[in-house]
């Protein structure tokens, strides 16, 4: 079951509640006719609990954090300036927390400004998500676990069965090549970890040496400066590990889709075996485990920074 939050205008509330949400939940078909009263889809539509305007942002943020997917409904008034402060804010929060965005258009309405962003490479504005029809959105929700992506070229998809078999060797070569990029990514992560551990170790050693050479109050200045640098360094370390984790997760999904065209689902089977061994215990990913080290360093730096500032203030006012 996938938690889905729907961003929409007040004018489109009835449309969302009576058709879009029930369709995604599998309660009705695309024609609006009843299918299953309790639903047979994989969508769990999240709604705001409070209803108070004063609690809107707090409630919305809580729901967005819970959701795996955020669906934006473009209606007749979605481009209004007021909607930039409401719908636009919700879209920004979804992007901030790396939620998968889907967009549907209830008519031939223009794309709101808040659904575009400047591309970091081309420096041009582009949509943050492509518009899809409601049926496509439901397919992606129902296939969310394995990833509903078209990884094959249009030429390959139009080939006959015999012609596809003639390209099986090329498919296997591409699978091996892509699988190797995943292994290389793990190696780069270890290099990054070694680099940051070495830098943190060097900083601690440097602080020890400098502290023995200078007198008060210079010692306080050195500690404060080095702690701030250390915290910034460790925040950068955590950010890089999160990026590597997201990239590796995407690679594993592509590998899983490629394996569906091969005789054996190796990675999928490995996960099932590991899940059996875990026996309902919580699985801690490599990324979460690796982030513990920079968090420990950051905690130490923060503690020393606070103590140094307090001690410095005490000395100053004495």
């Amino acid at each position: 079951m996938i938690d889905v939050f729907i961003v929409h205008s007040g004018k489109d509330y009835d449309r969302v509640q009576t058709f879009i949400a029930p369709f995604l939940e599998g309660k009705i078909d695309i024609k609006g006719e009843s299918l299953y009263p309790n639903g047979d889809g994989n969508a769990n539509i999240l709604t705001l609990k409070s209803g108070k305007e004063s609690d809107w942002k707090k409630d919305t943020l809580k729901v967005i954090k819970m959701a795996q997917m955020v669906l934006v409904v473009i209606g007749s008034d979605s481009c209004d300036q007021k909607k930039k402060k409401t719908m636009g804010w919700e879209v920004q929060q979804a992007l901030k927390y790396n939620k998968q965005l889907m967009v549907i258009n209830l008519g031939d309405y223009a794309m709101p400004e808040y659904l575009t962003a400047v591309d970091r490479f081309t420096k041009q504005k582009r949509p943050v998500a492509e518009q899809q029809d409601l049926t496509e959105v439901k397919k992606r929700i129902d296939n969310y676990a394995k990833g509903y992506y078209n990884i094959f070229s249009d030429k390959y998809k139009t080939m006959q069965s015999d012609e596809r078999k003639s390209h099986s060797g090329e498919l296997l070569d591409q699978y091996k090549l892509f699988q190797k990029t995943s292994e290389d990514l793990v190696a780069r992560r270890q290099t990054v970890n070694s680099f940051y551990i070495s830098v943190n170790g060097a900083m601690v050693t440097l602080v020890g040496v400098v502290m023995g050479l200078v007198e008060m109050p210079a010692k306080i200045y050195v500690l404060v400066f080095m702690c701030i640098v250390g915290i910034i360094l460790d925040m950068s370390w955590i950010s890089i590990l999160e990026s590597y984790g997201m990239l590796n997760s995407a690679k594993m999904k592509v590998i899983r889709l490629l394996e569906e065209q091969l005789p054996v689902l190796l990675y999928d089977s490995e996960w099932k075996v590991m899940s059996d061994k875990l026996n309902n215990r919580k699985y801690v990913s490599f990324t979460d485990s690796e982030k513990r080290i920079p968090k420990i360093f950051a905690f130490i730096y923060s503690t020393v920074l606070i103590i140094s500032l307090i001690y410095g203030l005490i000395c100053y006012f004495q």
Side-chain angles (χ1 to χ4, degrees):
M1 190 69 68
I2 304 302
D3 291 329
V4 181
F5 178 64
I6 303 179
V7 176
H8 61 85
S9 166
K11 286 186 177 181
D12 301 317
Y13 176 82
D14 290 339
R15 177 72 170 170
V16 170
Q17 295 298 317
T18 61
F19 180 72
I20 295 176
F23 175 73
L24 296 178
E25 292 171 333
K27 295 178 180 179
I28 61 174
D29 61 18
I30 195 65
K31 296 179 181 179
E33 298 177 357
S34 179
L35 283 178
Y36 304 96
N38 296 323
D40 71 335
N42 287 326
N44 176 40
I45 306 301
L46 301 176
T47 56
L48 302 180
K49 302 296 182 184
S50 173
K52 297 180 180 179
E53 188 174 350
S54 58
D55 296 332
W56 164 67
K57 281 193 174 182
K58 181 176 69 175
D59 292 347
T60 301
L61 189 58
K62 182 179 179 180
V63 172
I64 288 175
K65 287 181 179 180
M66 291 171 57
Q68 281 94 26
M69 184 180 292
V70 174
L71 174 63
V72 184
V73 178
I74 301 176
S76 59
D77 64 339
S78 297
C79 288
D80 290 356
Q81 190 62 28
K82 289 183 178 179
K83 295 299 179 288
K84 184 177 181 180
K85 297 180 179 179
T86 54
M87 295 177 66
W89 182 84
E90 292 172 336
V91 169
Q92 289 303 313
Q93 298 311 305
L95 293 171
K96 177 181 177 180
Y97 291 100
N98 298 314
K99 303 300 179 179
Q100 182 173 346
L101 272 177
M102 301 286 288
V103 178
I104 62 169
N105 201 321
L106 297 182
D108 192 18
Y109 303 116
M111 177 75 79
E113 184 71 17
Y114 51 79
L115 281 174
T116 61
V118 177
D119 187 274
R120 288 183 294 177
F121 299 102
T122 63
K123 303 303 180 183
Q124 296 180 343
K125 281 192 174 182
R126 58 187 297 271
V128 295
E130 295 181 4
Q131 294 185 42
Q132 308 285 347
D133 59 44
L134 197 55
T135 303
E136 178 70 13
V137 172
K138 189 174 188 305
K139 282 183 180 179
R140 295 203 176 192
I141 291 174
D142 291 342
N143 292 276
Y144 182 85
K146 68 176 183 179
Y148 189 76
Y149 303 98
N150 295 319
I151 63 171
F152 296 102
S153 66
D154 293 337
K155 180 180 178 181
Y156 184 83
K157 287 185 287 187
T158 57
M159 290 180 181
Q160 298 297 322
S161 179
D162 292 342
E163 193 175 1
R164 285 190 179 188
K165 287 181 179 178
S166 66
H167 291 276
S168 58
E170 297 173 12
L171 179 63
L172 182 60
D173 289 340
Q174 282 189 288
Y175 171 78
K176 290 178 180 178
L177 181 63
F178 197 78
Q179 190 267 345
K180 187 177 184 303
T181 64
S182 180
E183 294 178 352
D184 292 342
L185 184 65
V186 174
R188 290 204 300 271
R189 284 170 65 164
Q190 295 305 317
T191 302
V192 167
N193 288 334
S194 298
F195 169 76
Y196 277 99
I197 289 174
S198 299
V199 171
N200 275 280
M203 284 183 59
V204 172
T205 303
L206 180 62
V207 169
V209 172
V210 175
M211 292 291 286
L213 298 176
V214 299
E215 301 295 332
M216 294 292 292
K219 288 185 177 181
I220 300 296
Y221 300 148
V222 170
L223 276 176
V224 170
F225 175 75
M226 296 302 288
C227 286
I228 292 174
V229 171
I231 291 170
I232 295 173
L233 187 72
D234 291 329
M235 291 301 102
S236 171
W237 187 2
I238 292 172
S239 178
I240 290 175
L241 289 177
E242 287 176 345
S243 298
Y244 274 130
M246 291 172 61
L247 181 57
N248 194 57
S249 178
K251 285 181 178 293
M252 295 311 297
K253 274 195 172 182
V254 174
I255 288 173
R256 171 67 177 80
L257 293 171
L258 282 168
E259 283 188 341
E260 290 184 354
Q261 308 299 318
L262 299 173
V264 182
L265 299 173
L266 296 175
Y267 281 95
D268 193 48
S269 299
E270 181 185 51
W271 175 253
K272 289 177 180 177
V273 171
M274 189 174 69
S275 298
D276 290 339
K277 288 184 176 293
L278 286 171
N279 194 22
N280 296 324
R281 288 178 293 169
K282 184 180 179 181
Y283 169 71
V284 180
S285 69
F286 286 128
T287 301
D288 289 337
S289 297
E290 288 172 330
K291 286 195 296 185
R292 289 174 180 171
I293 302 174
K295 285 180 179 179
I296 291 172
F297 275 118
F299 175 77
I300 294 172
Y301 286 132
S302 300
T303 303
V304 174
L305 176 62
I306 293 171
I307 293 173
S308 300
L309 290 174
I310 293 174
Y311 183 76
L313 289 172
I314 293 173
C315 293
Y316 179 79
F317 287 107
Q318 281 183 347

